[in-house]
Amino acid sequence: MFTSFLNSMPGAVAQGIIWGIMAIGVYITYKILDVADLSVDGSFGTGGAVLVICMSNGIPVAPAMLIAFAAGCVAGFVTGIFHVHFGIPAILSGILTQLGLYSINLRILGGKANVGLNPRNYNLLLSLGNPVNAIIVGLVIVVILILLLYLFFGTNLGSALRATGNNQNMARANGINTNTAKILGLVISNGIVAFSGALLAQFQGYADINMGRGAIVIGLAAVIIGEVLFHKIFKNFALKLLGAIIGGIIYYLVITLVLSIKIPISDTFTIKLDANDLKLFTALVVAIFLGIPYWKKTISAKRIGTAPKYTAVSSTDSEKEGN
């Protein structure tokens, strides 16, 4: 069992980095803007589909990645328009965009459920066949991405986005157009998510119509794991983004470990999880890590003799301290 786990660790780490990049996109809406955006399930698949089709038509990998990023930005823009100018709640806006992207992604893939991308025929950035190289490339992309976001959110425009998420009324009082800030945040978030989808399509060698299903849950799992484990030591904004990457890696290592566990009950019966159980396990992981802050408050309250007042996990608590 442990031999199988060790052999699969490089691939799990590489995949965790890719999904961690997607989690950074989720972090922007969930933590900074305080917006529940479910459109990432669709934009993730859009990035993969656009990348595969672009490269299949002779476009090099770098421009194809940029086109995939732009496609995700368009998806985020649509969600923002639904939310800001149609007055639709953010969560429903994301669902509508996600629903529409399913048909769009199917169109992009030429009506096929999946389209392959053989690494032997294309010059890819990373592939499953060389997980060590995928880890190196992924880490380089992570460093560049975190640096760019750190610099951006230090500008006036980036500060406006953060102010919008912290307190919309105060942001408006200071002359910030919160509607524009929301749309811009959704555009950047979905662009990063699509970029991650393009990386995953290269890594696994194909784009699938369902490759983004459940992406929001995995992204939340990575963000929450990183925050729960490192919130006391990762105070800087860049380190908080890094926490999402580490959370993605931890998530996939745990998934890989769980899938490798086999518990023999008898000669004919063995307890074993398979890929069909991943969604259930992911939901349990997210639920546990979401519950940890409340359990900590409960234990602390019992020690001082007061009952805790339950409040939902705030998506902006970690941003109120600033950089």
Side-chain angles (χ1 to χ4, degrees):
M1 179 184 70
F2 289 105
T3 301
S4 174
F5 172 69
L6 291 174
N7 291 335
S8 58
M9 272 191 65
V13 171
Q15 197 164 356
I17 292 173
I18 294 172
W19 284 96
I21 293 173
M22 189 275 297
I24 289 180
V26 174
Y27 185 96
I28 291 174
T29 53
Y30 178 64
K31 285 292 184 180
I32 297 178
L33 278 182
D34 195 20
V35 170
D37 179 26
L38 298 184
S39 61
V40 297
D41 280 21
S43 57
F44 187 83
T46 300
V50 169
L51 182 282
V52 169
I53 295 304
C54 284
M55 295 198 68
S56 298
N57 286 277
I59 299 177
V61 63
M65 292 288 293
L66 292 177
I67 295 172
F69 173 80
C73 290
V74 172
F77 180 77
V78 172
T79 302
I81 292 298
F82 283 160
H83 175 48
V84 171
H85 295 294
F86 282 61
I88 303 173
I91 191 168
L92 292 180
S93 299
I95 292 174
L96 290 174
T97 304
Q98 176 194 142
L99 183 65
L101 283 176
Y102 184 89
S103 296
I104 293 174
N105 293 344
L106 198 58
R107 285 277 188 177
I108 294 173
L109 293 173
K112 301 176 182 178
N114 55 74
V115 176
L117 192 68
N118 193 329
R120 298 177 182 177
N121 302 330
Y122 300 95
N123 185 23
L124 306 179
L125 290 177
L126 67 179
S127 69
L128 182 59
N130 191 347
V132 175
N133 177 72
I135 292 174
I136 295 173
V137 172
L139 290 176
V140 171
I141 293 174
V142 165
V143 171
I144 295 173
L145 177 61
I146 291 178
L147 177 61
L148 291 175
L149 289 175
Y150 183 81
L151 294 174
F152 170 75
F153 281 101
T155 64
N156 290 335
L157 185 57
S159 297
L161 264 68
R162 297 174 65 187
T164 299
N166 278 321
N167 191 323
Q168 288 192 49
N169 293 330
M170 184 61 69
R172 293 193 194 99
N174 283 276
I176 295 174
N177 189 328
T178 55
N179 288 338
T180 301
K182 286 181 181 180
I183 294 175
L184 180 60
L186 288 165
V187 166
I188 296 173
S189 170
N190 282 273
I192 294 173
V193 169
F195 186 86
S196 174
L199 288 173
L200 183 63
Q202 294 176 69
F203 181 75
Q204 64 188 13
Y206 65 91
D208 187 88
I209 189 64
N210 293 314
M211 66 183 292
R213 182 172 294 178
I216 182 63
V217 179
I218 298 176
L220 287 174
V223 170
I224 293 166
I225 289 172
E227 183 178 50
V228 169
L229 295 181
F230 306 110
H231 71 282
K232 290 185 178 180
I233 57 176
F234 284 4
K235 300 294 185 180
N236 183 274
F237 177 70
L239 292 179
K240 290 177 181 179
L241 296 180
L242 179 61
I245 299 293
I246 298 175
I249 296 173
I250 293 174
Y251 169 79
Y252 263 92
L253 286 176
V254 172
I255 289 291
T256 303
L257 177 61
V258 169
L259 291 180
S260 64
I261 293 177
K262 298 179 181 179
I263 305 176
I265 302 300
S266 65
D267 294 337
T268 58
F269 181 71
T270 300
I271 297 178
K272 176 186 176 183
L273 293 178
D274 57 31
N276 295 326
D277 302 313
L278 284 180
K279 301 298 183 185
L280 173 61
F281 183 74
T282 299
L284 292 175
V285 168
V286 174
I288 290 172
F289 276 92
L290 278 173
I292 287 176
Y294 174 69
W295 297 334
K296 286 182 177 179
K297 290 181 181 179
T298 302
I299 294 173
S300 299
K302 286 182 178 179
R303 287 177 178 174
I304 62 177
T306 59
K309 182 179 180 181
Y310 177 79
T311 55
V313 176
S314 172
S315 61
T316 57
D317 285 346
S318 62
E319 295 304 320
K320 291 180 180 178
E321 299 178 356
N323 286 340

